[in-house]
């Protein structure tokens, strides 16, 4: 009821687009529209007789990382139109000023407590009033810089992809509404044999029994290799956790040991299934002198075609299986890099957050816990990529070079000096590591711009899986440009609103000075207030005119006649 009241009043005033941010907006907004909206005023909390109301529920950026990946992407402000760089936590910023008042109000009466808090609230509002011009100036200049960075990254990505592939990605981006993006990683990480077979049948149009049996064999091989690579990732995680527990010694928590024990049991079961399937696919492998039974989970070699010599691969006829493994390893390497980049950015964020905490706070804070979690994710992702890359280079170095994959070094896992979301990163003015500038390889095309007709259904599926990395990179870069464009435009509108507000306040005090004659003291006070707001208005006008690029650009913003493009504004400032 309390929430529907403001929405109803806003709807009656003519507004139709609303964005609601909340810590658990993913749950709060599930049935909100169905239960609250209805054209009939007698059957709804928010009647909508004059047209539909669009309400987007988004999770605050501070709490977004606590949600699942599919949830955080679906309800992220980064993929919501018209919000710019809103974080959703603005109403809570005053807590920073009120935290140090938490003791004194305990000894006050109810009236004294209210007066004291009102004084501090009024002072907070006044400090924002006199500092709003500098705040907008700083935000606008940083916004122009960030916009230039994300635009440059998007243009570089477009150049590496080519116009035909960019057109396809742009069409797909716009057809989904742009902001309606769902990073559904479940379909990639846990692809079942039935899903593979159904997709292959649909793509190949197989009708004969022989083609279907061949497709089943191909699906079986892909499923076998894919699950083996998952086992490889699990083993890398197990080794990393064993290393961490050994380093901590007696300080290792019971939870860490329990998680490691569970992972150990899961890996034992998966290894047993792996070798059973391997004996079915390659029955002659045991005759070649190889052990077809699992070793200790932490030390097992996970027998795959890449572990065999060239002579053994040729003798056993495992060439096609090795080719499938190399194709899937490229996809796993890209996925590991994506996870590593996300973990590194969050580690940088939590590192600065922890350093900014008060010294009086204990070490067991949410920031410390999140930082340790990010450090563990960095180690696990880097170990998973290294394992995948080493075997890829051993068997097919030309493929690794073709897709731009390199050996991961310690200096590549650097701490970013400044963390900015949306693919805009800095590192003390130095050159970024290759993982941040990796240009993904696009799918092959023929002379007509279509996908190669020679690709089989299986090759097309594997290639689509690899190209998912490209799609995500493009969506991130495209959404970054959209949000920073909106942010710059929002700040331009705020500039005009601030100047108008200062001018209206000055006119209101000047009107009171002229119309009322309650004595010299009243007149002096009203004249002083008029002069104060007039000075603030003139100062804001001078600052904003300079940063937007001149009087002509400012007139367009102030009168809301045209939108000044961020690139034009930046170029004008550079010329001046």
């Amino acid at each position: 009821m309390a929430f529907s009241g403001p929405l109803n009043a806003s709807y009656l005033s003519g507004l139709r687009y609303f964005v609601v941010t909340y810590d658990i907006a993913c749950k709060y907004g599930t049935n909100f529209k169905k239960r609250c909206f209805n054209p009939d005023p007698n059957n709804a909390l928010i009647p909508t007789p004059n047209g539909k109301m669009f309400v987007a529920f988004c999770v605050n950026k501070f709490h977004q990382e606590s949600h699942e990946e599919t949830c955080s992407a679906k309800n992220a402000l980064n993929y919501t139109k018209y919000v710019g760089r809103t974080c959703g936590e603005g109403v809570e910023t005053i807590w920073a000023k009120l935290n140090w008042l938490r003791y004194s109000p305990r000894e006050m009466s109810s009236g004294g407590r209210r007066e004291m808090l009102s004084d501090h609230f009024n002072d907070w509002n006044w400090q924002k009033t006199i500092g709003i011009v500098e705040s907008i100036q700083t935000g606008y200049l940083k916004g122009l810089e960030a916009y230039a960075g994300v635009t440059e990254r998007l243009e570089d990505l477009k150049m590496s992809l080519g116009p035909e592939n960019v057109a396809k990605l742009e069409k797909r981006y716009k057809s989904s509404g742009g902001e309606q993006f769902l990073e559904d990683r479940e379909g990639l990480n846990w692809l079942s044999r039935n899903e593979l077979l159904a997709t292959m049948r649909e793509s190949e149009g197989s009708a004969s029994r022989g083609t279907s049996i061949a497709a089943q064999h191909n699906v079986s091989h892909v499923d076998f290799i894919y699950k083996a690579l998952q086992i490889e990732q699990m083993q890398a995680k197990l080794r990393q956790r064993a290393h961490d527990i050994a380093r901590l010694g007696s300080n290792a928590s019971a939870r860490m040991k329990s998680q490691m024990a569970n992972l150990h049991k899961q890996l034992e079961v998966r290894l047993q299934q792996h070798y059973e399937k391997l004996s079915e696919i390659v029955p002659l492998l045991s005759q070649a002198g190889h052990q077809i039974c699992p070793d200790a989970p932490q030390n097992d070699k996970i027998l795959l075609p890449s572990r065999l010599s060239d002579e053994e691969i040729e003798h056993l006829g495992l060439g096609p299986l090795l080719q499938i493994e190399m194709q899937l390893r490229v996809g796993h390497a890209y996925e590991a890099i994506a996870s590593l980049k996300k973990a590194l950015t969050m580690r940088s964020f939590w590192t600065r957050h922890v350093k900014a905490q008060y010294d009086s706070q204990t070490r067991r804070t949410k920031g410390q816990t999140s930082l340790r979690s990010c450090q563990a994710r960095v180690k696990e992702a880097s170990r998973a990529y290294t394992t995948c890359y080493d075997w890829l280079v051993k068997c097919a170095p030309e493929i690794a070079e073709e897709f731009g994959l390199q050996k991961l070094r310690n200096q590549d896992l650097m701490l970013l000096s400044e963390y900015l979301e949306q693919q805009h990163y800095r590192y003390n003015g130095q050159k970024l590591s290759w993982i941040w500038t990796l240009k993904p390889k696009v799918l092959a095309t023929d002379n007509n711009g279509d996908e190669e007709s020679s690709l089989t259904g299986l090759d097309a599926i594997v290639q689509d899986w690899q190209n998912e990395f490209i799609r995500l990179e493009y969506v991130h870069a495209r959404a970054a440009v959209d949000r920073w464009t909106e942010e710059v435009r929002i700040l331009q509108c705020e500039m005009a609103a601030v100047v108008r507000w200062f001018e209206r306040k000055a006119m209101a005090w000047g009107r009171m000075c002229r119309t009322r004659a309650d004595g010299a003291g009243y007149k002096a006070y009203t004249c002083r207030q008029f002069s104060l707001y007039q000075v603030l208005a003139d100062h804001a006008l001078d600052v904003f005119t300079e940063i937007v690029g001149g009087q002509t650009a400012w007139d367009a913003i102030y009168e809301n006649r045209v939108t000044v493009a961020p690139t034009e504004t930046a170029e004008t400032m550079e010329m001046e």
Side-chain angles (χ1 to χ4, degrees):
M1 293 293 291
F3 184 60
S4 61
L7 281 180
N8 194 17
S10 300
Y11 177 83
L12 295 177
S13 67
L15 297 178
R16 294 294 182 269
Y17 189 95
F18 300 89
V19 178
V20 180
T21 60
Y22 188 50
D23 301 354
I24 53 171
C26 52
K27 298 296 183 183
Y28 190 82
T30 302
N31 297 312
F32 182 83
K33 299 177 184 179
K34 180 176 65 175
R35 296 174 179 176
C36 297
F37 294 167
N38 196 306
D40 186 1
N42 298 322
N43 297 324
L45 291 174
I46 307 176
T48 55
N50 300 325
K52 294 183 179 181
M53 177 190 297
F54 181 81
V55 180
F57 288 86
C58 299
V59 178
N60 305 339
K61 289 187 178 179
F62 185 79
H63 297 86
Q64 181 178 338
E65 295 301 325
S66 302
H67 293 243
E68 296 178 353
E69 290 188 358
T70 53
C71 175
S72 60
K74 181 179 180 181
N75 301 282
L77 287 165
N78 295 337
Y79 308 106
T80 304
K81 283 185 177 179
Y82 314 127
V83 300
R85 301 293 302 149
T86 302
C87 67
E89 304 282 356
V91 296
E92 299 179 357
T93 55
I94 195 174
W95 292 354
K97 182 177 179 62
L98 297 181
N99 281 341
W100 62 281
L101 298 175
R102 58 186 179 273
Y103 298 118
S104 55
R106 298 177 182 178
E107 309 299 329
M108 297 180 181
S109 62
S110 177
R113 185 185 305 113
R114 177 170 297 185
E115 290 180 359
M116 187 269 290
L117 292 177
S118 297
D119 289 340
H120 283 282
F121 281 129
N122 291 333
D123 177 68
W124 174 267
N125 291 333
W126 177 246
Q127 294 297 329
K128 289 196 296 182
T129 299
I130 63 177
I132 192 171
V133 175
E134 285 69 23
S135 177
I136 293 178
Q137 179 187 19
T138 303
Y140 186 73
L141 295 177
K142 288 185 177 180
L144 290 178
E145 182 183 359
Y147 175 82
V150 297
T151 303
E152 181 182 0
R153 178 177 177 81
L154 178 61
E155 293 302 323
D156 291 344
L157 184 60
K158 287 182 177 180
M159 187 177 300
S160 65
L161 296 176
E164 296 178 354
N165 293 291
V166 170
K168 294 178 182 178
L169 292 169
E170 187 68 18
K171 180 179 179 181
R172 185 174 180 182
Y173 180 81
K174 292 182 178 180
S175 64
S176 63
E179 79 286 359
Q180 298 174 2
F181 168 68
L182 174 60
E183 187 177 356
D184 186 6
R185 302 179 67 86
E186 291 296 323
L188 296 176
N189 290 338
W190 308 107
L191 198 60
S192 68
R193 294 179 62 190
N194 293 333
E195 292 169 339
L196 272 172
L197 181 58
T199 307
M200 286 182 58
R201 284 176 174 172
E202 181 179 354
S203 61
E204 294 180 346
S206 58
S208 64
R209 178 176 178 82
T211 305
S212 178
I213 293 176
Q216 289 180 8
H217 283 297
N218 288 337
V219 171
S220 177
H221 293 170
V222 171
D223 184 54
F224 167 73
I225 296 294
Y226 194 89
K227 289 180 178 179
L229 295 180
Q230 289 180 347
I231 294 174
E232 198 174 75
Q233 290 181 344
M234 293 175 63
Q235 188 183 63
K237 183 183 294 186
L238 179 64
R239 289 175 177 174
Q240 184 60 50
R241 292 190 177 181
H243 173 75
D244 293 340
I245 291 177
R247 179 175 54 85
L248 292 174
S250 59
N251 295 326
S253 64
R255 182 181 179 184
M256 293 180 61
K257 296 178 180 179
S258 175
Q259 290 177 346
M260 180 179 171
N262 292 335
L263 185 60
H264 190 277
K265 293 179 181 178
Q266 294 176 11
L267 193 54
E268 281 184 341
V269 175
R270 298 289 293 272
L271 283 171
Q272 184 64 37
Q273 295 174 352
H274 168 77
Y275 282 101
E276 291 177 358
K277 186 64 180 177
L278 180 62
S279 61
E280 295 178 7
I281 296 177
V282 193
L284 299 178
L285 197 59
S286 58
Q287 300 178 8
H290 291 280
Q291 180 180 353
I292 312 297
C293 60
D295 201 348
Q298 193 169 336
N299 303 320
D300 191 89
K301 295 183 179 180
I302 312 177
L303 195 57
L304 283 169
S306 58
R307 270 65 164 176
L308 305 177
S309 63
D310 295 340
E311 294 77 9
E312 290 176 324
I313 293 174
E314 183 178 359
H315 174 69
L316 298 173
L318 297 180
L321 198 61
L322 178 63
Q323 183 180 4
I324 292 174
E325 180 184 349
M326 294 301 103
Q327 287 179 295
L328 291 178
R329 281 198 181 277
V330 173
H332 273 267
Y334 275 138
E335 188 172 324
I337 291 175
S339 301
L340 180 61
K341 289 165 64 175
K342 184 175 181 179
L344 285 171
T345 51
M346 291 309 301
R347 186 185 68 173
S348 177
F349 169 79
W350 285 114
T351 298
R352 285 190 310 280
H353 175 77
V354 169
K355 289 183 178 180
Q357 291 178 339
Y358 292 110
D359 296 335
S360 59
Q361 292 180 335
T362 61
R363 296 189 63 184
R364 286 188 173 275
T365 62
K366 180 180 179 181
Q368 289 283 356
T369 303
S370 300
L371 177 58
R372 287 193 293 268
S373 176
C374 290
Q375 290 172 340
R377 288 166 57 189
V378 168
K379 293 178 182 178
E380 292 175 0
S382 60
R383 188 181 286 265
Y385 171 80
T386 300
T387 304
C388 188
Y389 174 79
D390 289 342
W391 288 109
L392 185 63
V393 170
K394 173 183 176 294
C395 299
E398 68 284 354
I399 294 180
E401 182 179 359
E402 181 184 5
F403 283 87
L405 302 176
Q406 303 179 26
K407 183 177 179 61
L408 195 63
R409 301 167 298 174
N410 290 333
Q411 52 265 38
D412 294 328
L413 308 180
M414 58 190 177
L415 181 67
L416 301 175
S417 61
E418 183 175 352
Y419 169 72
L420 294 176
E421 296 179 10
Q422 300 293 336
Q423 308 296 324
H424 184 214
Y425 308 98
R426 295 180 181 175
Y427 179 55
N428 295 327
Q430 301 179 17
K431 185 178 180 181
L432 285 172
S433 170
W434 66 271
I435 62 175
W436 304 101
T437 57
L438 175 64
K439 297 296 186 297
K441 182 181 181 297
V442 298
L443 68 165
T445 56
D446 58 13
N447 297 331
N448 297 325
D450 299 327
E451 296 183 15
E452 286 187 345
S453 58
S454 60
L455 289 178
T456 63
L458 179 59
D459 292 334
I461 294 170
V462 173
Q463 198 167 50
D464 287 343
W465 177 49
Q466 296 172 358
N467 291 338
E468 181 70 7
F469 181 87
I470 301 174
R471 186 184 73 85
L472 297 184
E473 284 288 307
Y474 184 82
V475 168
H476 290 318
R478 185 71 169 81
V481 174
D482 291 346
R483 298 295 82 78
W484 279 112
T485 302
E486 295 167 359
E487 178 68 13
V488 171
R489 180 53 183 152
I490 289 172
L491 289 172
Q492 291 174 350
C493 295
E494 288 184 0
M495 293 178 192
V498 167
V499 173
R500 291 193 185 99
W501 186 76
F502 284 151
E503 291 175 344
R504 280 200 299 269
K505 294 289 289 186
M507 288 188 292
W509 284 107
R511 192 180 305 111
M512 285 189 287
C513 180
R514 293 191 303 270
T515 57
R516 296 183 59 178
D518 295 345
Y522 179 85
K523 190 168 186 178
Y525 180 78
T526 54
C527 288
R528 178 179 178 276
Q529 292 296 106
F530 165 79
S531 176
L532 174 64
Y533 281 101
Q534 190 61 50
V535 169
L536 289 174
D538 294 340
H539 173 64
L541 186 61
D542 293 339
V543 172
F544 294 155
T545 303
E546 180 182 358
I547 64 175
V548 299
Q551 189 64 42
T552 303
W554 170 251
D555 291 340
I557 294 174
Y558 187 78
E559 298 172 7
N560 199 23
R561 288 187 282 107
V562 294
T563 302
V564 180
T567 51
E568 296 177 1
T569 305
E571 292 173 358
T572 306
M573 293 180 63
E574 291 177 359
M575 292 175 61
E576 294 182 352

